[in-house]
Amino acid sequence: MAIPLWLATTVGVTGVLLSKVDYNIFFMKFFRNLSRSKARARLYNNKYAMIPVMLGIEEPIKIKDDIEAENAMHITREQLEEMDGFEGTPLYLSIKGRVYDVSAGGKFYAEGGEYHDWVGKDASRSFGTGCRGGVDRTGMDCLSESLEGLTDNEMKEIDRWLELYETHDKYTFVGYLVDDPVEKIVERVHEENEAAEAAAAAAEAEDLDDDDDDDEETEQQQEEVAA
């Protein structure tokens, strides 16, 4: 029996499209969105949340930051790096500067797990691009916290992951990622020293120019006297 042309075309096009799908990313997003839809139903009593979330037509829930709150916990990058699950430490990750404890998902986040690349660092960029090794299409480190050059869709993907961690019933918000205050002081002192050295060099150069001008003026006077 001959296969209808429309069916053959449909199968062919579907095959081409599926061959270009990164199944790893596809299933990551699938289970992420499934978890988000369950959280929305649980937290907001929205029993129809699954449809728009799974279709990707929903708007991610906006998370309000309050880093200046008195009870806000601050975590430095050095401290975050130590929270990698080794030697009994918990599993922490950061996204857009918000740190979450994902120890309950050790199957996925511990060493050898699918998401271990995100642990112990702020890899916000990776959540948006899906790139987890090397450099992305812009030439930037995949696991960077920089959002420079990302598209609106990629930024929305980051917000979807952020919503997952914020609303998950087993993951907990720990605090905000901050620069090490000691490093900031050292960096500021270094910058001040460089500025002082530059000012001193400029002043010295100006003094030399003044000396040269004085020498030229003296020579001119001597020539005038001799004449």
Side-chain angles (χ1 to χ4, degrees):
M1 182 177 67
I3 300 177
L5 179 60
W6 66 268
L7 179 58
T9 302
T10 301
V11 172
V13 171
T14 302
V16 171
L17 293 176
L18 289 176
S19 68
K20 297 181 179 180
V21 171
D22 186 326
Y23 290 101
N24 187 38
I25 293 178
F26 173 82
F27 284 112
M28 285 172 62
K29 291 181 179 180
F30 175 83
F31 289 112
R32 176 203 65 190
N33 290 340
L34 185 61
S35 179
R36 288 173 58 225
S37 63
K38 290 180 178 178
R40 289 189 176 203
R42 182 183 75 254
L43 297 174
Y44 307 110
N45 196 29
N46 182 359
K47 59 182 180 181
Y48 301 110
M50 182 175 291
I51 296 175
V53 170
M54 299 306 291
L55 291 177
I57 59 176
E58 92 303 349
E59 286 297 322
I61 296 173
K62 295 300 182 182
I63 310 302
K64 182 180 179 181
D65 283 325
D66 193 8
I67 193 171
E68 301 300 332
E70 292 184 4
N71 60 344
M73 182 175 177
H74 295 165
I75 300 172
T76 67
R77 286 168 176 76
E78 289 71 21
Q79 292 171 328
L80 179 60
E81 288 176 3
E82 296 175 356
M83 304 304 174
D84 55 6
F86 292 101
E87 298 182 355
T89 60
L91 294 162
Y92 284 7
L93 62 75
S94 177
I95 176 169
K96 295 182 75 172
R98 294 177 66 86
V99 180
Y100 294 91
D101 184 341
V102 294
S103 301
K107 177 181 178 181
F108 305 102
Y109 293 93
E111 184 181 20
E114 190 64 39
Y115 305 156
H116 185 66
D117 291 334
W118 292 336
V119 172
K121 61 178 70 69
D122 187 317
S124 296
R125 190 177 195 84
S126 177
F127 288 101
T129 63
C131 173
R132 289 183 292 160
V135 296
D136 61 21
R137 58 177 176 74
T138 67
M140 295 192 68
D141 181 5
C142 289
L143 297 175
S144 167
E145 64 183 280
S146 171
L147 306 180
E148 180 181 351
L150 296 185
T151 65
D152 289 342
N153 285 336
E154 289 169 336
M155 292 296 295
K156 184 173 289 188
E157 278 299 302
I158 295 175
D159 287 337
R160 286 177 172 133
W161 282 104
L162 181 59
E163 178 188 330
L164 168 73
Y165 295 116
E166 185 71 22
T167 61
H168 201 284
D169 59 345
K170 294 182 180 179
Y171 302 151
T172 56
F173 171 66
V174 177
Y176 297 96
L177 188 64
V178 297
D179 292 322
D180 189 326
V182 175
E183 284 192 359
K184 291 185 69 174
I185 293 174
V186 171
E187 183 178 348
R188 185 172 69 249
V189 170
H190 181 66
E191 291 176 350
E192 291 175 351
N193 288 339
E194 287 186 337
E197 291 175 359
E204 183 177 353
E206 186 175 348
D207 290 340
L208 289 175
D209 289 340
D210 291 341
D211 291 341
D212 290 341
D213 292 340
D214 292 341
D215 291 341
E216 290 179 2
E217 185 176 349
T218 300
E219 290 178 0
Q220 291 176 354
Q221 291 176 348
Q222 290 175 347
E223 290 174 357
E224 291 176 357
V225 171

